[in-house]
Amino acid sequence: MTDFLVTVRRIVRMYEGTLRYVCEKYGLTQTEADVISFLHNNSGLDTAADIVELRGLSKGNVSQSVESLIQKSLLRRSQDTRDRRRIHLSILPEAAPITAEIERFRTMFKEQLLAGFTDEERRQYSQMNARVLKNSAAMTEKGELK
């Protein structure tokens, strides 16, 4: 279990490191880059609550970053038509160079991380990862560990 947790932490740190260049180039904080990256890569998950829950970022940091990105004309906020309390976030066209750069680094990161894996191993990894995610989601929903 220790090896698994160390691996997860190392992968997260490495991914965050890949975004540093984007942050420096475009004058973004790490959390602002995380918000843009999350919204770009997770269609249908477009609220601050989604980002907080799935990226494990603090509510305050996400809120501050969203506000900053709106001020920088990179994000837009819109009210849900059915639930006025729910606010959706969308990336504006002005952020296209940033999302392209993030995508380039994300692809490069993935290729480096899975270097030497065959197509079959990548498929198996994807299936196992999906199962681990499903199990962890079930544990979270129940609020208990099995």
Side-chain angles (χ1 to χ4, degrees):
M1 184 49 104
T2 299
D3 288 345
F4 175 75
L5 294 173
V6 167
T7 300
V8 169
R9 286 188 186 111
R10 183 174 292 151
I11 290 170
V12 168
R13 280 195 309 269
M14 287 170 31
Y15 181 73
E16 289 171 349
T18 64
L19 289 180
R20 279 194 199 105
Y21 171 80
V22 175
C23 292
E24 291 170 11
K25 182 174 180 178
Y26 294 98
L28 301 173
T29 66
Q30 183 74 44
T31 306
E32 289 170 344
D34 284 337
V35 167
I36 290 173
S37 179
F38 181 89
L39 293 171
H40 177 68
N41 292 307
N42 295 283
S43 180
L45 298 171
D46 63 355
T47 68
D50 292 331
I51 298 166
V52 167
E53 179 182 343
L54 297 171
R55 277 291 285 125
L57 301 171
S58 83
K59 185 177 180 179
N61 286 347
V62 170
S63 178
Q64 184 178 20
S65 293
V66 164
E67 198 56 46
S68 176
L69 290 167
I70 288 169
Q71 295 301 315
K72 293 176 181 179
S73 299
L74 298 172
L75 279 188
R76 174 182 347 152
R77 163 178 36 219
S78 58
Q79 209 167 38
D80 190 285
T81 56
R82 289 178 286 191
D83 183 348
R84 301 190 68 148
R85 296 168 296 176
R86 192 168 162 86
I87 305 296
H88 298 279
L89 304 169
S90 55
I91 300 171
L92 292 172
E94 291 81 357
I98 298 169
T99 57
E101 197 93 50
I102 288 171
E103 190 61 35
R104 185 172 71 83
F105 278 104
R106 186 174 173 263
T107 299
M108 192 171 60
F109 174 78
K110 181 181 173 184
E111 287 307 311
Q112 289 175 351
L113 191 63
L114 300 176
F117 282 62
T118 66
D119 289 343
E120 177 61 19
E121 289 169 330
R122 287 176 185 227
R123 187 187 64 71
Q124 288 173 347
Y125 171 77
S126 182
Q127 289 176 335
M128 287 186 281
N129 191 51
R131 206 175 319 159
V132 168
L133 287 171
K134 181 180 175 185
N135 291 345
S136 66
M139 291 166 60
T140 301
E141 286 175 18
K142 291 178 182 177
E144 59 186 53
L145 296 175
K146 288 188 176 182

